[in-house]
Amino acid sequence: MPVPNYSVVPMTEDDVPTITGFLYDSKLQLSINRLLISDWPNPPFQKAHYGGVIERSVLDQQLTSLKVVDNTTKRAVAHLFYGRKPSRATEQGSSEVPAGFAPDVYRAVMEFSKELKPNFDTEEYMELVHMYVEPSSRGQGIGSWLLHIAQEAAKAAEIPFSIFSEPNHHGFFINRGLRDVKTVDVDLRKWAPPLSGYGIFRISRMALPE
């Protein structure tokens, strides 16, 4: 499964700017974010927000944070975050809408996130939180390698494996054996200008077939 000329190594705090850039690039592709982020594209806000997310994730002892490095250039080209999550519902955080987000869209995102909570019989499951491969490094098997690493961690822990898939990555996961266990369809037209090309945005909870 390893890809020649690449290594998977733990992330450090020094990687936060690079991985923030990866997350920012991946979120630019999502149509819902054009409505979720106030004053789209608002790069200063997005980069500050995603930088905070990455920094907290790297420091989070409950998450495994990995990067893929090109052995020739020593440059990071991909990342992976995964970790154990409780299968039972937990208390939600503050209902206050953070600055920088459109309130109605933000509340909808929080609601469908709750709807997509998995229903496993185990106390915990392993979630692939986020994965990204920069475009110039795709097509070599790096994404499949990272997915395999997260799945093997779930297998070693003897707990189910699951992901929360956005539509631009859904086909990738389907082609590698995962299946939808829950979906939520969000009609973006309710927040978009008339006749602007927005439609249904589907978010999926995916897992391996039993």
Side-chain angles (χ1 to χ4, degrees), residues 38-113:
S38 298
D39 303 318
W40 177 267
N42 200 347
F45 165 73
Q46 287 204 71
K47 291 178 180 179
H49 173 68
Y50 297 136
V53 170
I54 296 299
E55 186 171 9
R56 290 190 296 274
S57 297
V58 170
L59 296 174
D60 188 344
Q61 297 299 310
Q62 302 302 312
L63 286 179
T64 297
S65 307
L66 302 173
K67 64 178 178 179
V68 178
V69 175
D70 183 315
N71 293 339
T72 301
T73 65
K74 308 303 180 185
R75 187 173 60 87
V77 300
H79 72 247
L80 169 68
F81 293 95
Y82 67 88
R84 300 169 79 120
K85 298 288 184 73
S87 296
R88 306 292 179 261
T90 56
E91 290 294 323
Q92 298 296 313
S94 171
S95 60
E96 183 178 347
V97 178
F101 293 101
D104 289 349
V105 187
Y106 180 87
R107 293 189 188 98
V109 169
M110 294 299 101
E111 282 302 313
F112 72 62
S113 296

Side-chain angles (χ1 to χ4, degrees), residues 103-172:
D104 289 349
V105 187
Y106 180 87
R107 293 189 188 98
V109 169
M110 294 299 101
E111 282 302 313
F112 72 62
S113 296
K114 288 192 291 185
E115 287 183 50
L116 289 172
K117 184 74 175 176
N119 296 317
F120 293 120
D121 293 332
T122 55
E123 288 296 319
E124 294 183 310
Y125 67 99
M126 189 73 72
E127 179 162 85
L128 192 160
V129 178
H130 199 264
M131 181 176 79
Y132 179 80
V133 181
E134 66 168 11
S136 64
S137 299
R138 294 174 188 172
Q140 303 179 73
I142 294 174
S144 296
W145 185 15
L146 293 177
L147 177 61
H148 179 73
I149 288 171
Q151 290 176 320
E152 286 298 300
K155 187 182 298 184
E158 300 183 332
I159 56 177
F161 175 78
S162 183
I163 62 170
F164 182 89
S165 177
E166 296 160 341
N168 51 327
H169 300 132
H170 187 259
F172 172 87

